[in-house]
Amino acid sequence: MSGQFLPLIVAGALFLAVMALGLLVMLAMRARAERQLRGRLMHDAPDRGEERAAASGWLEDMEAGGRAVERLVDTDNETPRLLVQAGWRSTAQRSYFYIAQLLLPLLAGGLAVLVWLLGGEAATGIELIVYLLMGVFAGLLAPRFLLRKKAEVRQRRIAGEVPLFIHLLVLLFEAGLSTRQALASLVREGRGTLPELNRELAVVIRQLEAGADSSEVLRNLEEALDVSELGNVLGVLRQVDRYGGEIRGPLLEALEVLEERRSMTMREKVNKISGRMTVVMVLFFFPALLVFVAGPAFVSIIKALGDVAG
């Protein structure tokens, strides 16, 4: 009897271990962030440096291991750009990702072996190795897949905010503000209006206040986010900031191009939906309509033929 419940006991223990490990990592990351904030505000004494290093050293080791695993998967160094596109700019968010990149292959491999044990099949070494490799590969690819999906969703949100962003820029420039002043005003006042763009513009403003070149900062933002709609607007801002000139006309032209592109995209979606609806109507609605219209006549013909035969 105990042998029958052994896989369930192992599954429960593994689930509790995963939950406990995740909770421990979250608590440790929160404690490290609080210590760093306290250190910046209160200027901790130098003799507490060893205590902070000992408390967060194992987290840094796990993060370093996750970075090493990520380098094996990401041969094109795409992860930093995806992290920016997903909005995970803070140190804690990046640490969470790299720690997950280290732990998920191990946990997925353990779960795959557990599934093999729960299957009740004959214990063969080849099947065990296959299950283990499948779990490890799934754990290696899952964080990157989720990160890419998160980046794509956020890119679509940013693209949806660009038309309103252009209208607000036009209003601010007509009020006599410069490019830096307009962006700073959007950061202060546009948190609820442009939630995603506001986060990126806040980074731009911090870099500009630190003395960075505005054209270079805008170019880096355009390359990092990789949103074509936003890239057109940032290109106009860079050109006007460097060479001067009237900005209202180019922005309105970019808005017109954007609206035309959206109109074409909407037409393509409508055409696709029309085609799908035609297939649905042919498969489901037309047979029912045919039965409803031709059914009584067909029944009458059958009855008439039966009477003649009788």
Side-chain angles (χ1 to χ4, degrees):
M1 182 66 68
S2 61
Q4 296 178 355
F5 290 99
L6 180 60
L8 296 178
I9 295 174
V10 174
L14 183 59
F15 177 75
L16 292 177
V18 171
M19 295 296 293
L21 183 60
L23 181 61
L24 182 62
V25 171
M26 291 181 62
L27 292 176
M29 292 294 297
R30 182 175 299 179
R32 186 177 70 171
E34 292 178 355
R35 284 194 299 270
Q36 291 176 351
L37 180 60
R38 190 182 302 113
R40 289 195 298 266
L41 295 177
M42 302 179 62
H43 302 288
D44 290 345
D47 56 358
R48 299 188 58 184
E50 296 181 359
E51 179 183 353
R52 294 197 303 269
S56 60
W58 64 278
L59 280 177
E60 295 177 355
D61 294 338
M62 294 177 63
E63 183 178 350
R67 290 180 182 273
V69 173
E70 182 63 25
R71 283 194 294 269
L72 296 177
V73 179
D74 182 20
T75 57
D76 298 330
N77 196 24
E78 187 183 12
T79 300
R81 181 171 58 84
L82 291 176
L83 288 171
V84 173
Q85 293 174 359
W88 296 349
R89 290 179 175 271
S90 65
T91 304
Q93 291 172 332
R94 293 173 180 267
S95 299
Y96 283 138
F97 173 78
Y98 288 116
I99 290 175
Q101 186 67 76
L102 175 65
L103 295 181
L104 278 182
L106 303 177
L107 298 178
L111 288 175
V113 173
L114 181 61
V115 170
W116 176 74
L117 293 174
L118 293 176
E121 301 177 355
T124 59
I126 296 179
E127 292 180 355
L128 177 61
I129 293 175
V130 170
Y131 272 82
L132 180 61
L133 291 178
M134 289 176 59
V136 171
F137 283 129
L140 284 174
L141 298 178
R144 189 170 180 78
F145 175 79
L146 295 177
L147 178 62
R148 183 174 284 109
K149 289 299 180 182
K150 171 67 175 177
E152 292 176 356
V153 170
R154 189 165 181 266
Q155 283 178 320
R156 288 195 293 268
R157 291 177 180 175
I158 292 175
E161 295 177 0
V162 171
L164 182 57
F165 175 59
I166 295 176
H167 285 294
L168 293 176
L169 281 179
V170 171
L171 291 176
L172 293 174
F173 284 129
E174 288 181 347
L177 275 65
S178 64
T179 301
R180 182 176 302 187
Q181 293 172 343
L183 296 179
S185 178
L186 288 177
V187 171
R188 290 193 305 268
E189 308 296 338
R191 295 180 180 178
T193 307
L194 304 172
E196 299 297 338
L197 276 176
N198 184 271
R199 297 169 59 186
E200 301 299 330
L201 295 178
V203 177
V204 170
I205 292 300
R206 287 197 298 268
Q207 293 176 352
L208 294 178
E209 291 177 351
D213 180 65
S214 58
S215 179
E216 186 67 22
V217 171
L218 294 176
R219 180 184 293 108
N220 293 336
L221 180 63
E222 177 183 352
E223 295 176 355
L225 294 181
D226 194 19
V227 178
S228 59
E229 293 84 353
L230 181 62
N232 296 333
V233 180
L234 296 180
V236 172
L237 294 179
R238 287 191 289 107
Q239 181 178 0
V240 173
D241 185 70
R242 172 168 293 185
Y243 301 107
E246 200 267 335
I247 193 172
R248 183 177 182 275
L251 285 178
L252 293 179
E253 290 178 1
L255 179 61
E256 183 179 356
V257 172
L258 178 59
E259 290 177 349
E260 291 179 357
R261 188 183 304 173
R262 287 196 167 194
S263 177
M264 294 178 60
T265 304
M266 188 63 65
R267 291 175 184 173
E268 292 178 358
K269 291 182 179 180
V270 170
N271 292 334
K272 291 180 181 180
I273 293 175
S274 300
R276 294 172 183 174
M277 290 300 298
T278 302
V279 174
V280 172
M281 291 180 62
V282 169
L283 292 179
F284 299 100
F285 182 73
F286 182 72
L289 181 63
L290 184 62
V291 171
F292 180 77
V293 174
F298 183 75
V299 172
S300 299
I301 292 173
I302 293 297
K303 288 183 178 180
L305 292 177
D307 295 338
V308 171

